Amino acid sequence: MAETVRKNMLTRAGLDRYEKELEELVNVKRKEVAEKIKIARELGDLSENAEYDAAKDEQREIEARIAELTQLLKNAEVVSDDEISIDKVSVGCSVKLLDVEFDEVVEYRIVGSAEANSLENKISNECPVGAALMGRKINDLVDVPTMAGTVQYKILGIQRFE
């Protein structure tokens, strides 16, 4: 049975950010760490050379991140601006919600799981809140099951974000 490849939903901004990071790692960081390794080798005995060990660790981290980004971008599916509807919640939009119980307004950006970052109010279309909101419209009441019970949101607004 063929393995299905999971697509990574990305906004255009997310794609650009990951491509820029990959380019920086390949063209700048990789060369910098190679130079650090070369200099550390010239210091002599590698068995007790902390600079060499640190540079090799850094090299492993860079190569792992390059592999991770390459895989992510290989399976990327970019949500283009013309696919982002403001009639209903979708990846690439910002949604303003009213927490009905606490009478509190919150705003989230709906992104693919690779771009999710709770500190920036970017939630995945696959997380409980994001999944419950997908396809819903302004003024819809949305019930989101959580471990602490059901949270009800009213959708106040939907817009594209940059």
Side-chain angles (χ1 to χ4, degrees):
M1 183 179 272
E3 182 182 326
T4 57
V5 176
R6 187 171 165 268
K7 289 290 185 185
N8 298 308
M9 297 285 292
L10 292 175
T11 60
R12 171 59 55 194
L15 178 72
D16 292 346
R17 187 176 68 249
Y18 288 130
E19 285 177 338
K20 185 178 178 184
E21 181 184 354
L22 180 60
E23 183 179 344
E24 170 82 4
L25 289 170
V26 170
N27 297 324
V28 178
K29 297 294 184 185
R30 196 182 250 172
K31 290 176 181 147
E32 286 175 359
V33 80
E35 185 62 23
K36 286 180 187 177
I37 290 170
K38 179 180 175 233
I39 291 169
R41 275 194 181 126
E42 292 170 357
L43 296 175
D45 185 7
L46 297 182
S47 65
E48 294 182 21
N49 188 326
E51 288 86 1
Y52 178 78
D53 291 340
K56 290 299 280 183
D57 287 343
E58 185 179 354
Q59 182 183 45
R60 273 188 290 280
E61 289 170 10
I62 289 170
E63 293 304 323
R65 183 63 178 157
I66 288 171
E68 180 183 354
L69 288 171
T70 300
Q71 187 65 30
L72 182 131
L73 293 171
K74 177 181 163 194
N75 296 312
E77 184 175 316
V78 179
V79 179
S80 63
D81 289 342
D82 57 348
E83 290 179 79
I84 300 169
S85 169
I86 56 170
D87 296 331
K88 62 183 185 203
V89 177
S90 62
V91 172
C93 74
S94 179
V95 60
K96 188 179 287 189
L97 306 169
L98 173 67
D99 182 323
V100 174
E101 181 181 355
F102 294 105
D103 194 31
E104 184 176 276
V105 175
V106 293
E107 191 165 336
Y108 294 115
R109 292 176 171 204
I110 310 296
V111 296
S113 59
E115 290 180 81
N117 182 335
S118 61
L119 298 176
E120 297 175 3
N121 284 349
K122 292 180 179 179
I123 62 170
S124 164
N125 61 317
E126 298 172 11
C127 77
V129 175
L133 292 171
M134 293 298 292
R136 304 302 291 269
K137 299 178 180 193
I138 292 175
N139 292 322
D140 281 358
L141 289 175
V142 181
D143 292 329
V144 180
T146 69
M147 291 173 59
T150 300
V151 177
Q152 188 174 63
Y153 292 108
K154 180 176 182 179
I155 300 176
L156 302 177
I158 303 169
Q159 63 186 36
R160 289 183 183 92
F161 66 88
E162 300 303 314

